[in-house]
Amino acid sequence: MRGIIHYLDLLFVLACYFLYAWCASRFLKRHLQGKASERGVFLGLLFCSHGVMAFYLERESIPYILYAMCNHVMLVGLTIAVFKGDREKKLLAAVILEVMTELFWNFSESFLCCLGLILVKSLSGSRQAASVGVWGDRTITIMTYIAGITAINLVSRPLKFVFSEKRKSWYICLTIPLFCIILVTDVANWAASNGIMVQDWERYGLYENQLFSHGAMCIFTGLAMAAAGVLVFGMDKIEREERIREQYRSQVMYYQMMEEQYCQMERLRHDMKNHVIALSNLVQNRQWERAGCYLEEMAKAGGVEAGDEITGSLVIDALLYHKRRQAAERGIRWQCDARLPKDCQVKEIDLCIIVGNALDNALEACGKLQETDHPFIQVYLEKVKKCLFMEVRNSAEAELGWEKKGSRKKPGAHGLGLGNIKAAVAGYNGTMHVEAENGVFTISILVPM
């Protein structure tokens, strides 16, 4: 009979592990945008790993800290190995999952144990009631797993914005304190399992001491959950506000540039009568060379030099003109083929954010090169079928550490610029691809129309 009960308990534990593996795979697939096949592989590997760990723990005496650390390493390792994407993002997703799992389960288990002890004592009427019994433990375990899985699914939806359009350095900065919370929770669990949190006061019995122990764990895990929530959502809010400020600064710069362009045109228009008289005099006297020089000076003064880009948008024309002048001042070769379709549905302010940030990054990268390296910037903007396609290519330092899916710089070096582009493109369900090869940095953007 005992053997049957033992196997039933083992099946019960495996069923609980399967529920957890299903919840974990669903959480990671949602936030890492994984495929169904990746989710299935992860679920199977995690379930088998937990089963092996449980079986080994049953046969061998393993310290709790070692067992907990093995579980953490196993979850993080499987997440990084199975799912695709940035390693930093996968690491944060695994750590957040571990934090939620450990804190929710600890809080639920301690809270339910307190309720169980109080219920047993009230029903039995005995002052020595200090255990909820075997079936009570099983009931608490089931309710703990259900409460933890439900809480993780509820919190998963607000976490969607935490995993969208962030710098790699941001993921690392958030991962470190969350992992510290996991370690502190493991130490607290180890202390509770070894009776350190139980006060052996003579006037109190085992019942009161257990209530104190579980109550203290409830308070600790509740505070830890609050701290983790403030940390995650607080850092997300700060990062989004910083991105908004960066976009605002970019918009202010573009409007100032447009105002300057308008003022130049107004000055030229105001002096047009005198310019026409001067040109007519030069033409009548057949002074062609002087007339040509005079026209060039007028073009420079009015910001309508020969070769100016005519995209179909005055705002983008002014922006490209401004960036082309910056490139010319720095000795950067400029090539531009830009035309906007008449039915372009992308707002001009969003186009300014996309084009401006892309060219700012290109100018910054070319500015680090020597003139003998012949730096260049190539801009292509055109309608391709039913999409608006833009590509900016520029020369850059050919150094180690190039990354196809990110910046050639260290994490966070110009992440806000790329982040602003990606956020603006995402607003139109577009895509952005960045790659670097043989000293050439390329950013490609495709926006459906």
Side-chain angles (χ1 to χ4, degrees):
M1 187 65 181
R2 291 182 179 179
I4 296 176
I5 295 176
H6 174 74
Y7 283 115
L8 289 176
D9 286 340
L10 183 60
L11 290 175
F12 168 71
V13 171
L14 291 177
C16 291
Y17 282 153
F18 181 81
L19 286 175
Y20 168 68
W22 173 83
C23 177
S25 62
R26 186 171 182 268
F27 175 87
L28 294 174
K29 177 182 179 295
R30 171 183 294 180
H31 296 296
L32 297 179
Q33 298 179 349
K35 300 178 180 178
S37 59
E38 294 174 346
R39 178 188 175 184
V41 172
F42 179 84
L43 190 154
L45 292 176
L46 185 63
F47 173 70
C48 293
S49 301
H50 272 296
V52 171
M53 289 288 292
F55 178 77
Y56 190 74
L57 181 65
E58 183 73 18
R59 297 177 61 91
E60 302 290 340
S61 178
I62 303 177
Y64 175 80
I65 293 294
L66 179 60
Y67 172 74
M69 291 304 299
C70 288
N71 278 331
H72 301 330
V73 172
M74 180 177 59
L75 179 64
V76 173
L78 288 177
T79 302
I80 294 177
V82 174
F83 290 95
K84 297 180 181 179
D86 295 333
R87 182 173 300 177
E88 295 80 3
K89 185 176 181 179
K90 292 187 290 185
L91 179 62
L92 177 63
V95 170
I96 287 181
L97 179 60
E98 280 288 274
V99 169
M100 290 193 301
T101 300
E102 194 153 350
L103 294 180
F104 283 143
W105 284 355
N106 274 272
F107 180 84
S108 300
E109 185 177 12
S110 299
F111 181 75
L112 291 173
C113 283
C114 288
L115 290 181
L117 287 171
I118 295 173
L119 181 62
V120 169
K121 183 178 180 181
S122 63
L123 292 178
S124 64
S126 174
R127 297 188 60 183
Q128 301 299 323
S131 174
V132 294
V134 176
W135 288 104
D137 285 336
R138 291 169 181 165
T139 303
I140 289 175
T141 301
I142 294 175
M143 295 179 67
T144 298
Y145 269 89
I146 294 175
I149 291 173
T150 303
I152 291 173
N153 288 329
L154 291 176
V155 177
S156 179
R157 182 172 296 179
L159 287 174
K160 178 182 178 181
F161 300 99
V162 175
F163 293 97
S164 61
E165 316 304 339
K166 297 294 191 302
R167 295 167 290 171
K168 294 181 179 181
S169 59
W170 187 88
Y171 291 126
I172 296 297
C173 291
L174 184 56
T175 300
I176 294 174
L178 290 178
F179 190 74
C180 292
I181 291 177
I182 294 176
L183 293 180
V184 173
T185 306
D186 286 338
V187 173
N189 285 330
W190 171 82
S193 63
N194 285 273
I196 296 177
M197 298 179 67
V198 178
Q199 300 296 324
D200 189 17
W201 295 331
E202 294 182 357
R203 57 178 176 173
Y204 295 123
L206 185 58
Y207 169 77
E208 288 80 4
N209 286 329
Q210 284 198 77
L211 282 181
F212 171 80
S213 178
H214 291 305
M217 183 58 68
C218 279
I219 295 174
F220 168 75
T221 51
L223 293 175
M225 284 191 291
V230 170
L231 183 65
V232 172
F233 294 107
M235 285 190 62
D236 176 59
K237 183 178 180 181
I238 292 173
E239 199 275 342
R240 282 189 282 123
E241 289 179 350
E242 179 63 26
R243 180 174 295 175
I244 292 174
R245 284 195 293 268
E246 180 69 18
Q247 292 178 350
Y248 175 76
R249 286 193 290 267
S250 300
Q251 294 169 11
V252 170
M253 181 190 70
Y254 299 146
Y255 284 124
Q256 289 177 345
M257 177 266 299
M258 291 174 57
E259 184 179 2
E260 179 184 354
Q261 184 87 352
Y262 178 78
C263 291
Q264 290 177 347
M265 294 296 294
E266 283 296 310
R267 288 195 296 268
L268 178 62
R269 188 179 295 109
H270 182 267
D271 295 334
M272 184 60 67
K273 180 180 179 180
N274 296 328
H275 291 316
V276 170
I277 294 173
L279 282 172
S280 298
N281 185 48
L282 291 174
V283 170
Q284 289 176 2
N285 291 289
R286 299 180 181 275
Q287 297 182 7
W288 312 117
E289 185 175 352
R290 291 184 60 187
C293 292
Y294 196 94
L295 285 172
E296 289 181 4
E297 292 295 327
M298 287 179 59
K300 291 180 181 179
V304 289
E305 301 163 86
D308 237 1
E309 294 78 9
I310 306 299
T311 65
S313 169
L314 294 177
V315 176
I316 302 302
D317 287 347
L319 175 61
L320 291 174
Y321 166 74
H322 183 72
K323 299 302 179 184
R324 180 161 62 86
R325 289 193 61 178
Q326 290 183 354
E329 292 172 357
R330 303 177 188 182
I332 301 172
R333 184 163 51 91
W334 175 276
Q335 294 180 353
C336 181
D337 182 9
R339 288 181 296 275
L340 282 173
K342 294 181 180 180
D343 58 345
C344 182
Q345 298 177 358
V346 183
K347 296 179 181 179
E348 288 187 331
I349 189 65
D350 293 324
L351 283 173
C352 281
I353 292 174
I354 295 170
V355 178
N357 280 285
L359 293 179
D360 285 341
N361 287 342
L363 288 168
E364 184 181 353
C366 291
K368 295 186 176 183
L369 302 176
Q370 303 294 330
E371 291 187 4
T372 54
D373 296 328
H374 305 292
F376 70 90
I377 296 177
Q378 297 176 347
V379 184
Y380 179 77
L381 181 65
E382 182 62 277
K383 180 181 180 181
V384 178
K385 294 186 178 180
K386 295 184 179 181
C387 296
L388 180 65
F389 176 73
M390 173 183 168
E391 183 177 80
V392 176
R393 302 175 73 248
N394 61 273
S395 52
E397 294 174 337
E399 58 183 17
L400 296 177
W402 288 92
E403 300 178 14
K404 289 186 177 182
K405 292 186 179 181
S407 167
R408 64 178 177 83
K409 299 182 179 181
K410 296 179 180 179
H414 64 239
L416 281 178
L418 291 178
N420 290 339
I421 297 174
K422 206 168 185 180
V425 171
Y428 297 90
N429 296 320
T431 59
M432 182 185 79
H433 178 71
V434 179
E435 66 177 10
E437 186 177 2
N438 299 327
V440 177
F441 188 84
T442 305
I443 176 171
S444 303
I445 296 167
L446 192 65
V447 179
M449 297 175 54

